[in-house]
Amino acid sequence: MKPFFNLMDINKMIQELRILDNDNVTLFDKGAHYVIPLYQRAYAWEDEEIKQLIDDINDTTGDYYIGSLIVAKIKGQEEQYEVVDGQQRLTTLYLLLHYLASRGGWSGEVGKTLSFGCRPNSNYTLTHIQDLLSDEKSLVNGEDKLDHSICNGLKIIRQKFVPEARRGKSGKLDDAIDVDPFVDRLKRVILYRIEVPEHTDLNRYFEIMNTRGEQLEQHDILKARLMDYLSDRPEQEFFARVWNACRDMTGYVQMHFVKDEREKIFGERWCDKPSRDCSRYVDSPKGGQEADEEATKGEDEAVSIEEITKSLSREKIGDDADDDKASIRFESIIGFPHFLLHVLRVLIKVEDVSFDEGKELRSLLDDKCLLEDFDRMIEYGQIGDTSIKEDKAEFARKFILILLQARFLFDRFIIKRDSKGDNHEGGWSLKELYVSSSGSAKKPNYANTRLRYENEREETYKPRNKECLMIQSALRVSYTSPKVMHWITELLVWLFDDKTEIHKLTDKAERIAAEAVKENFLDLGNYKLGVQTPHVVFNYLDYLLWKKDKEKYEDFVFEFRNSVEHWYPQHPSGGTFEAWGERDTFGNLCIISRSVNSKFSNLTPVSKMNSFERMVQRGSLKLRIMGNIIKGCSDQDWRDRACHEHEEEMIRILEENIRKVTEQ
């Protein structure tokens, strides 16, 4: 019999479980038992995976969705499950809970709710887990029966909580995690247990999941939830096609649709902005008997495991084999989960969503809280006079269309990495897709995004494109964590305004950077922040210096220079020269890569320039200027005069330009 899932019932297979609640364990409930079958590999997680899981839990501030556990109910056994996928995480959680119980962190019991099929050493170890935690010597005679991977897992877990177990060769103790606060955070951790239907070929299912290497992630759960709000089958299918196309963040979204739908959505030249009118893409929802017949038809249609798991893969969605190279060529600066968080905030602005007092979305764009943010939006959000939770179907329709439009705008107006040519890491790119041929000969072309007035000639608006690319790349390297890349949301919201003058995109990006520098640096009135000086200050200054003399600095590009360096050193090498109390002032600071920082060490400015002049002249523009200044003076001159003069000039440039930008 061909194994299948019923598409209409897939949500019913998903059960949301907390790892730990206020009274006991919910995942490892005493009535439940999980068996790791023989076709699965033995427990194999090591230091990196275990420590990352514990750190992720410890860092959470709200509900944290930890992923999925695929199980199959064992026939004839109540609450007995065979684990199909997710056993490494499950086993680690089992060990972690036993450890916390041994420390008295909570009053519940895990019980003997996990076992391995046909692995006596693993089962012996799990049976004696509390003995191992309390007194390892009591198992000396049975040491040959232990599973050493599980024992190592317990050791790593203990090292995260007991400082004495973490002393390195230097003798220094790392900070240990406090048990009680950790247990409180663990109570916010949620896992999805997904039960596959009866008669599923488990060996075949495991083979497919293992080959594809895909876990069901938060955005997969979110997709299923939002689709479930839609009762009309054509709407669900359209939703799925758009979601899958947008999920692949490589290349341009147009190329992730088949040609017919591509032209229907983006026009004959593949470059028209998509409509937010759902009726353009989906037939009117059916009602009455016709809708019932459609639903019944959907329930009877079965889909193979291969087709279901294929939706989790990153295979190309479009039908142009020749375009594969183009898809790989362009890489997004953010991943899909973070893009969804941006789009949710765009929807709030576009639809003027209001929230119950105190229930607004968090500031951070935290992909761990993707489902929590959407839950909060649906539960407490209101569009006009209508609560979102009262019409979830309409919310799903609005979101998928805004997602489509946002992705189109993102691809066209937000920088990417372009690996064309010899630059394997990819250079910054700001291009738009269009097609110039016709009929079956249509192929994608990529040209600089046209940030122009109506009928403006290319030679006039071309420099504007370069400026926009440079200020966006300055923002990108300033905010390296996707959690704080709010500038993308701001630009997308601005682009959604029908009255927006596209040629002013550069001005908008400059304003975002200028306001950040003003608020977090200039308005403080303190230029002696040392290594705490925000990176955006250095990068925006470099942008202004480049813009002022593009020919002189035509070789300059923004790179990930993530280390603030003192030009006159913070700690003089071996006391061979004088310390300086003004070393933290802005004029004495520059931003460099960590590899350069290690080379600069604690040398004086003159020594740095003598030893690493070539490196300095390829660095940030402020660093290049500092290097040129020190050529004509001594270290003493730098402390007495040159540093102060340099700082005054750089602050003047910042203040003048920020005043000009913010007053426009």
Side-chain angles (χ1 to χ4, degrees):
M1 178 179 179
K2 187 176 182 179
F4 68 92
F5 291 145
N6 189 305
L7 279 179
M8 304 302 291
D9 289 338
I10 192 168
N11 275 336
K12 299 175 184 178
M13 297 156 48
I14 302 174
Q15 183 177 4
E16 185 176 290
L17 294 176
R18 289 194 179 270
I19 308 301
L20 185 68
D21 66 15
N22 290 324
D23 300 314
N24 52 30
V25 182
T26 59
L27 174 62
F28 295 103
D29 192 77
K30 290 182 180 179
H33 188 88
Y34 301 96
V35 179
I36 312 298
L38 186 60
Y39 60 77
Q40 295 245 28
R41 64 174 177 165
Y43 182 64
W45 267 18
E46 297 182 354
D47 294 44
E48 184 176 348
E49 295 94 345
I50 297 172
K51 290 178 180 178
Q52 186 64 57
L53 177 66
I54 294 174
D55 287 338
D56 286 346
I57 294 171
N58 195 49
D59 290 341
T60 187
T61 56
D63 286 348
Y64 173 33
Y65 293 83
I66 204 170
S68 59
L69 174 70
I70 312 296
V71 299
K73 185 167 285 187
I74 298 174
K75 190 174 182 180
Q77 300 292 326
E78 189 68 22
E79 293 295 307
Q80 304 287 299
Y81 300 99
E82 184 172 323
V83 178
V84 183
D85 190 62
Q87 72 101 342
Q88 300 290 333
R89 187 189 301 108
L90 181 72
T91 305
T92 303
L93 290 170
Y94 184 78
L95 300 180
L96 176 61
L97 286 170
H98 269 288
Y99 174 78
L100 294 173
S102 74
R103 291 286 303 275
W106 55 286
S107 58
E109 295 181 13
V110 187
K112 297 177 180 179
T113 51
L114 179 69
S115 64
F116 285 76
C118 301
R119 284 198 170 94
N121 284 20
S122 299
N123 290 328
Y124 179 84
T125 308
L126 293 182
T127 301
H128 293 86
I129 191 170
Q130 286 301 327
D131 297 324
L132 285 166
L133 290 168
S134 61
D135 183 7
E136 296 186 19
K137 293 181 180 179
S138 65
L139 286 177
V140 170
N141 294 332
E143 188 172 352
D144 59 333
K145 300 179 183 179
L146 292 175
D147 182 315
H148 293 287
S149 293
I150 294 177
C151 291
N152 185 60
L154 287 171
K155 177 182 176 183
I156 295 165
I157 290 170
R158 181 173 179 270
Q159 288 174 347
K160 293 294 290 182
F161 294 90
V162 181
E164 286 76 12
R166 308 181 69 192
R167 192 184 297 273
K169 293 180 180 179
S170 65
K172 181 181 178 181
L173 296 180
D174 295 330
D175 293 335
I177 296 174
D178 291 334
V179 171
D180 291 341
F182 181 83
V183 169
D184 289 337
R185 295 184 180 99
L186 189 59
K187 292 174 183 176
R188 306 297 300 272
V189 176
I190 297 169
L191 179 140
Y192 286 100
R193 187 173 69 192
I194 304 172
E195 185 180 335
V196 300
E198 191 178 1
H199 307 306
T200 299
D201 185 337
L202 298 181
N203 286 283
R204 178 61 178 148
Y205 181 91
F206 177 76
E207 178 186 344
I208 294 168
M209 292 297 293
N210 192 49
T211 301
R212 295 192 182 279
E214 297 287 343
Q215 287 282 345
L216 198 62
E217 298 184 40
Q218 284 197 44
H219 58 80
D220 297 309
I221 301 294
L222 177 62
K223 175 187 175 184
R225 282 187 183 178
L226 295 178
M227 285 181 64
D228 195 45
Y229 298 152
L230 303 171
S231 58
D232 185 63
R233 184 66 176 271
E235 279 191 319
Q236 289 181 327
E237 291 173 347
F238 173 72
F239 186 104
R241 290 196 301 275
V242 171
W243 184 280
N244 291 342
C246 293
R247 186 186 65 189
D248 186 346
M249 295 298 288
T250 60
Y252 286 69
V253 68
Q254 295 97 309
M255 304 313 298
H256 302 322
F257 288 94
V258 295
K259 281 184 178 178
D260 289 345
E261 192 157 35
R262 186 184 308 156
E263 296 191 355
K264 184 177 181 180
I265 295 173
F266 304 102
E268 291 187 1
R269 298 189 72 241
W270 306 350
C271 59
D272 294 345
K273 183 179 177 181
S275 170
R276 291 213 306 273
D277 180 2
C278 192
S279 64
R280 283 194 54 182
Y281 311 122
V282 183
D283 295 334
S284 299
K286 302 177 178 64
Q289 182 179 353
E290 189 176 4
D292 293 338
E293 291 174 354
E294 185 71 23
T296 303
K297 177 182 176 183
E299 290 176 359
D300 292 338
E301 291 181 358
V303 184
S304 70
I305 291 175
E306 286 88 343
E307 292 174 289
I308 289 291
T309 54
K310 183 177 180 181
S311 70
L312 296 179
S313 74
R314 301 193 181 278
E315 292 183 2
K316 186 171 173 56
I317 299 169
D319 61 349
D320 298 284
D322 292 339
D323 297 330
D324 284 345
K325 292 181 180 179
S327 292
I328 296 171
R329 169 183 165 184
F330 296 103
E331 292 288 345
S332 170
I333 58 174
I334 56 173
F336 185 55
H338 286 103
F339 184 65
L340 289 172
L341 291 168
H342 286 288
V343 175
L344 184 63
R345 286 153 177 79
V346 169
L347 187 149
I348 291 172
K349 296 293 185 180
V350 171
E351 296 292 340
D352 195 21
V353 176
S354 59
F355 288 88
D356 295 349
E357 187 175 353
K359 301 298 183 180
E360 297 83 2
L361 298 190
R362 69 190 70 241
S363 174
L364 284 181
L365 299 158
D366 191 345
D367 60 330
K368 296 177 188 174
C369 302
L370 177 64
L371 287 173
E372 184 182 347
D373 276 5
F374 273 83
D375 288 344
R376 183 181 289 262
M377 175 81 156
I378 293 168
E379 181 66 24
Y380 304 112
Q382 184 167 310
I383 300 176
D385 297 328
T386 305
S387 173
I388 292 175
K389 64 183 176 183
E390 293 176 4
D391 193 350
K392 296 178 181 178
E394 183 61 19
F395 172 75
R397 293 186 195 102
K398 287 182 182 294
F399 182 79
I400 198 64
L401 291 169
I402 288 180
L403 175 66
L404 175 62
Q405 204 170 67
R407 177 60 195 276
F408 172 81
L409 294 171
F410 179 84
D411 287 345
R412 187 175 184 180
F413 296 109
I414 306 298
I415 58 170
K416 295 182 181 294
R417 298 294 275 182
D418 184 356
S419 58
K420 184 179 180 181
D422 297 330
N423 191 344
H424 298 297
E425 293 184 0
W428 301 116
S429 169
L430 185 62
K431 298 183 183 297
E432 60 185 348
L433 181 150
Y434 69 97
V435 65
S436 56
S437 303
S438 60
S440 60
K442 285 184 176 180
K443 294 291 180 184
N445 292 280
Y446 304 93
N448 290 336
T449 299
R450 291 166 292 176
L451 306 175
R452 63 178 182 177
Y453 294 92
E454 188 175 357
N455 300 321
E456 186 179 12
R457 296 170 63 88
E458 181 179 2
E459 55 267 25
T460 307
Y461 70 77
K462 187 176 180 181
R464 194 178 303 125
N465 175 280
K466 178 66 173 179
E467 289 173 4
C468 191
L469 180 148
M470 290 293 282
I471 187 60
Q472 284 196 44
S473 55
L475 287 166
R476 172 66 186 95
V477 300
S478 297
Y479 301 103
T480 55
S481 170
K483 292 181 180 181
V484 294
M485 292 170 66
H486 302 294
W487 63 272
I488 294 178
T489 302
E490 290 189 57
L491 289 183
L492 288 175
V493 169
W494 183 82
L495 289 164
F496 261 81
D497 189 341
D498 293 333
K499 298 179 182 178
T500 289
E501 299 174 281
I502 295 300
H503 60 272
K504 293 184 178 180
L505 177 62
T506 305
D507 298 337
K508 175 62 179 176
E510 284 186 11
R511 178 185 289 269
I512 292 171
E515 289 176 346
V517 173
K518 182 176 184 297
E519 178 182 353
N520 299 298
F521 183 64
L522 293 181
D523 285 353
L524 299 179
N526 177 16
Y527 305 146
K528 299 179 181 180
L529 300 180
V531 296
Q532 300 303 317
T533 306
H535 293 184
V536 69
V537 179
F538 297 100
N539 288 316
Y540 183 59
L541 175 60
D542 275 354
Y543 169 75
L544 296 176
L545 293 169
W546 168 84
K547 188 177 178 181
K548 186 178 179 180
D549 198 341
K550 296 176 184 177
E551 290 187 7
K552 180 178 180 180
Y553 299 123
E554 63 178 353
D555 66 325
F556 177 71
V557 294
F558 284 100
E559 298 174 355
F560 289 96
R561 303 177 176 99
N562 297 325
S563 181
V564 176
E565 165 75 1
H566 293 80
W567 187 231
Y568 192 94
Q570 188 172 13
H571 303 291
S573 180
T576 54
F577 52 91
E578 183 181 352
W580 186 34
E582 297 294 308
R583 60 185 179 274
D584 283 337
T585 195
F586 182 66
N588 190 51
L589 303 173
C590 57
I591 191 168
I592 59 179
S593 68
R594 289 190 174 90
S595 60
V596 174
N597 192 15
S598 64
K599 292 182 173 64
F600 274 11
S601 186
N602 294 320
L603 300 175
T604 67
V606 171
S607 297
K608 287 174 181 175
M609 197 60 185
N610 289 339
S611 302
F612 303 108
E613 180 176 357
R614 186 179 177 187
M615 189 178 295
V616 169
Q617 295 303 337
R618 289 186 300 181
S620 73
L621 299 189
K622 185 177 186 300
L623 175 60
R624 297 184 193 186
I625 292 172
M626 294 163 71
N628 290 333
I629 291 173
I630 206 67
K631 280 184 177 181
C633 70
S634 66
D635 294 327
Q636 183 68 43
D637 290 336
W638 177 257
R639 297 197 311 268
D640 293 345
R641 171 191 54 82
C643 176
H644 178 69
E645 293 174 356
H646 169 65
E647 179 175 297
E648 283 190 332
E649 175 65 11
M650 296 300 101
I651 295 296
R652 182 190 64 78
I653 292 172
L654 284 173
E655 289 179 335
E656 287 182 358
N657 282 274
I658 288 174
R659 189 181 307 114
K660 177 182 177 182
V661 168
T662 55
E663 289 177 356
Q664 287 179 348

